[in-house]
Amino acid sequence: MRQDIMTDTHSPAGCPQGQGDELDKAARGRRRPVYLVLALLAVAIVLGSVFWLAQQYAAAAESRRAADRLTLYLSTLVSALEEHQHLPFILARDPLVIAGTDGSENGELNRRLESFTDEAGVDAIYLMDQQGLTIAASNWSEPKTFLGNNYGFRPYFKAALTGLRGVFFAIGATTQEPGYFIAEPVYGGPGRIAGVIALKVDLTPLTRAWREGGETLLAVDPRGIAILASNPDWTYRTLSPLSDDVRQEIAAERQFGNEPLEPLDIAGGPGEVTIDGVRYLQSVGPVGHLGWKLHYLTPFDRINGQARQAVLLTAAVLLLASVAFLLVRTQRIRTALFASQQQRRGLQQLNRRLEAEIDERRAAERRLELAQKELQKVSKMAALGQLSASVTHELGQPIAAMRNYLATAELPNSGIDGEARELVDHLNGIAARMEHITGQLRFFARAEPKKLDRFDLRDVVAPVLELMEPDLAAAGVEWSQEVDDDPLWVFGDALRIEQVLVNLIRNALDAVSDTESPQIRLRLTRDGEMARLSITDNGTGMDGEVLARAEDPFFTTKPSGTGMGLGLSISASILKEHDGRMEIANTPEVGAVFTITLPVCDETGDTQQVGDASL
Ligand code: ADP
């Protein structure tokens, strides 16, 4: 029953629970690697998407940042280029400078130019005559002085000679150091250019600052030559191979000294370039009026680094979420398990209650069955009582008359003797048996309640024995008895208890009739609150059916006319009236033992009113 309740709810149709579980488990086992692969695939897709999105986002952010940085570096470069552009203009109007154009002794001018150089923080200031010969220079005292050198080939000189301001970037022809040159014409008189004053600005601090700032910048002139670069290897390299014309032009101006002007290992479009195998995000801006372009390069590594960080962060979040999910799931499973255990316990309790109820119901059914049997017995006995009453009544008179006639016939002067007397004796026997039968029937007929008195059960034994003595002797039975020394007080009708005892001894006599050395034993003892009286014989004993049915009214194994099958039934009824009972059993060896038990009452016990004595 318990199993039904426990298993029916979850068992798959047509499949026993245990087997269903095994199948489920096996199926789950097979599906597990698939789930794992799917989960890993999902994680890979999520992380890939995150990487891609983060890369896009970082690229957009970096390109915004690059635009800002480019603007900043453009302004610093332009300001570095323009910072000193007015100085030559002013110097060109200095009387000492103008006076110096005639090539006279310029010792004072040299010193003045030297002090201006120091003050302005430029590389050098120098004055050239109309042919480009340097006639005064701030570095007059240095070994690599410009003095005496002719720079007439430089475009800035040529421009100044035409009255314009000349600007030019070149590697110094004398010092071999790069610089930005600014030149202004020096007028000796109205409209007469007597010389050119020029200054050289060192731009290397700028590139150093780029490098130290961790930035990647490239300033390229209109011909695609990298003039300034944060990476020294890129300086004087070209974005594309130079044509021969351009190379000749450069050689004429001696702009880049002996630099080979090799092309850079560069590829890519305007937004993205790869230089020397490294990918960069590129932002380009024009540098003032020079036609230069400044390239601000952001290594893709930085963008990828940010994307990688985002992926790591996402992975960490996913991991944390998975851990949290697993924790919550574990908690839920634990709770569900607890709940199911509770439910199981509840079901077990319910099962136990059901089992108890079923047991109770079975016991009740058994009681009912017994009660029904009892009722049948009672109704049989009641019917028997009525029948007995009328039979004893109807037969009583004729038997009494017969007895009288027979008594008269037995008188000495009746004249009956010989065979007739034998017949009278025979009839007397028949009448006695008839009386015996009606006597038994009368027992059933008696309906009035009986007053029971307290009596010593031991007192019943003697009269019964006296009554049975002749029969016992006739049957050659070895009688033995064991009676308690103390009184055994019981309530009841002593005569009826005697009747029970007579019944039992008579049955025992019948049972031992074919036994070689018949024995009957009476035992009367006290067992706690009960008086126990047993009659044991070494007779036939009883088989199973006889044992079960011995108490049934009219059940007998004796030949017709010998037994009516009422003795035990009556005895049981009598004992029941006395709150006693009878146990019937076979002895371990041969024969049967009938034990009656009656409640013992104390000596001061009152008499007791009992019900219908005849049932
Ligand atoms: P009856 O003696 O008229 O047959 P009882 O009710 O006294 O009716 O006994 C019923 C049956 O129980 C007997 O027929 C007999 O088979 C069996 N029985 C009773 N007492 C004994 C006994 N001591 N040994 C063996 N069988 C017995």
Side-chain angles (χ1 to χ4, degrees), residues 507-508 511 537 540-542 555-558 563-568 594:
N507 277 343
D537 63 62
T540 54
M542 285 163 282
F555 174 80
T556 180
T557 56
K558 294 171 190 170
M564 282 180 70
L566 290 173
L568 291 179
F594 285 72

Side-chain angles (χ1 to χ4, degrees), residues 19 56 59 108 117 134-135 175 178 191-192 195 201 320 366 373 383 386 479 506 513 518 554:
Q19 204 179 331
Q56 299 300 309
E108 192 188 345
T117 302
T134 308
I135 47 182
T175 60
R192 186 177 70 84
V201 181
L320 277 179
R366 274 196 298 277
K373 275 190 183 159
Q386 284 178 355
W479 173 264
R506 187 155 284 147
S513 60
F554 303 112

Side-chain angles (χ1 to χ4, degrees), residues 353-551:
R353 276 214 302 278
L354 272 173
E355 277 171 6
E357 264 177 43
I358 286 163
D359 288 348
E360 214 170 283
R361 191 160 295 186
R362 282 195 185 131
E365 273 169 13
R366 274 196 298 277
R367 281 201 301 276
L368 187 69
E369 214 173 295
L370 280 177
Q372 277 172 346
K373 275 190 183 159
E374 200 63 30
L375 198 67
Q376 280 174 0
K377 234 187 247 180
V378 167
S379 28
K380 271 187 193 172
M381 297 303 272
L384 187 65
Q386 284 178 355
L387 183 71
S388 307
S390 57
V391 169
T392 27
H393 180 73
E394 293 302 324
L395 286 183
Q397 292 300 326
I399 291 172
M402 195 174 164
R403 274 290 202 189
N404 283 338
Y405 286 130
L406 289 170
T408 313
E410 277 181 332
L411 289 173
N413 53 354
S414 64
I416 294 173
D417 50 9
E419 280 189 11
R421 177 146 303 269
E422 267 180 40
L423 185 65
V424 168
D425 289 343
H426 191 60
L427 285 175
N428 255 330
I430 291 173
R433 268 173 66 189
M434 285 169 75
E435 267 180 344
H436 173 69
I437 290 169
T438 52
Q440 281 202 344
L441 289 177
R442 196 172 296 115
F443 168 78
F444 290 104
R446 201 164 54 201
E448 76 276 11
K450 181 81 184 167
K451 266 281 207 188
L452 305 182
D453 294 321
R454 191 166 67 95
F455 65 95
D456 187 349
L457 196 55
R458 297 180 306 171
D459 296 343
V460 170
V461 177
V464 169
L465 209 57
E466 198 179 322
L467 190 70
M468 297 303 296
E469 195 79 73
D471 293 337
L472 289 168
V477 168
E478 182 191 329
W479 173 264
S480 63
Q481 66 181 56
E482 181 189 333
V483 178
D484 206 300
D485 293 338
D486 297 322
L488 288 161
W489 295 104
V490 293
F491 272 115
D493 183 346
L495 283 177
R496 304 199 82 185
I497 299 299
E498 274 178 27
Q499 190 178 353
V500 171
L501 201 50
V502 167
N503 267 333
L504 296 183
I505 294 172
R506 187 155 284 147
N507 277 343
L509 265 172
D510 289 341
V512 298
S513 60
D514 290 335
T515 308
E516 216 167 287
S517 45
Q519 294 171 355
I520 298 176
R521 184 163 178 255
L522 180 145
R523 195 162 177 261
L524 177 57
T525 52
R526 180 173 181 142
D527 183 5
E529 293 303 303
M530 304 301 279
R532 186 180 290 272
L533 191 157
S534 64
I535 300 291
T536 311
D537 63 62
N538 61 347
T540 54
M542 285 163 282
D543 66 18
E545 199 212 337
V546 178
L547 260 178
R549 298 188 55 198
E551 277 185 47

Side-chain angles (χ1 to χ4, degrees), residues 18-280:
Q19 204 179 331
D21 277 356
E22 288 304 313
L23 288 176
D24 275 4
K25 233 181 259 175
R28 278 201 296 273
R30 276 199 301 277
R31 284 198 297 266
R32 197 161 292 154
V34 180
Y35 285 144
L36 201 66
V37 168
L38 285 178
L40 287 175
L41 205 66
V43 169
I45 289 172
V46 167
L47 292 181
S49 307
V50 167
F51 184 80
W52 184 82
L53 281 172
Q55 204 182 36
Q56 299 300 309
Y57 179 80
E62 278 303 328
S63 97
R64 276 195 304 278
R65 181 179 169 275
D68 292 346
R69 303 296 286 174
L70 179 66
T71 310
L72 176 73
Y73 287 115
L74 274 174
S75 71
T76 53
L77 179 55
V78 168
S79 62
L81 294 175
E82 291 180 352
E83 188 183 358
H84 305 290
Q85 67 177 340
H86 302 299
L87 189 57
F89 180 82
I90 295 160
L91 287 172
R93 277 143 191 84
D94 186 271
L96 199 62
V97 172
I98 295 167
T101 56
D102 63 1
S104 57
E105 167 55 53
N106 274 319
E108 192 188 345
L109 181 59
N110 281 341
R111 277 188 294 279
R112 168 123 12 136
L113 292 178
E114 189 179 8
S115 70
F116 280 161
T117 302
D118 293 344
E119 275 305 306
V122 296
D123 214 23
I125 304 173
Y126 51 104
L127 179 67
M128 291 161 284
D129 66 10
Q130 288 164 319
Q131 280 71 46
L133 184 70
T134 308
I135 47 182
S138 59
N139 55 8
W140 60 275
S141 59
E142 294 173 19
K144 284 186 176 178
T145 178
F146 292 174
L147 273 177
N149 289 330
N150 191 312
Y151 300 111
F153 58 90
R154 293 290 203 193
Y156 64 86
F157 174 79
K158 289 176 182 166
L161 216 53
T162 61
L164 297 171
R165 176 181 296 162
V167 287
F168 189 60
F169 178 87
I171 295 175
T174 313
T175 60
Q176 305 304 319
E177 282 167 9
Y180 180 62
F181 299 87
I182 309 166
E184 283 283 346
V186 181
Y187 288 91
R192 186 177 70 84
I193 296 173
V196 171
I197 181 97
L199 64 78
K200 182 184 176 186
V201 181
D202 182 12
L203 291 178
T204 46
L206 205 65
T207 53
R208 199 167 44 244
W210 292 349
R211 204 164 39 248
E212 285 170 1
E215 303 281 28
T216 311
L217 284 141
L218 197 63
V220 180
D221 77 358
R223 287 173 296 202
I225 301 164
I227 295 162
L228 304 168
S230 55
N231 183 347
D233 293 343
W234 295 350
T235 320
Y236 312 130
R237 305 279 294 276
T238 63
L239 298 187
S240 54
L242 297 176
S243 67
D244 290 344
D245 290 350
V246 173
R247 280 189 177 276
Q248 277 170 15
E249 198 181 312
I250 291 169
E253 291 167 354
R254 291 159 67 181
Q255 189 179 359
F256 294 105
N258 296 324
E259 290 294 334
L261 303 178
E262 290 292 327
L264 271 172
D265 177 15
I266 186 167
E272 207 183 298
V273 285
T274 304
I275 304 176
D276 293 342
V278 181
R279 258 177 92 200
Y280 296 94

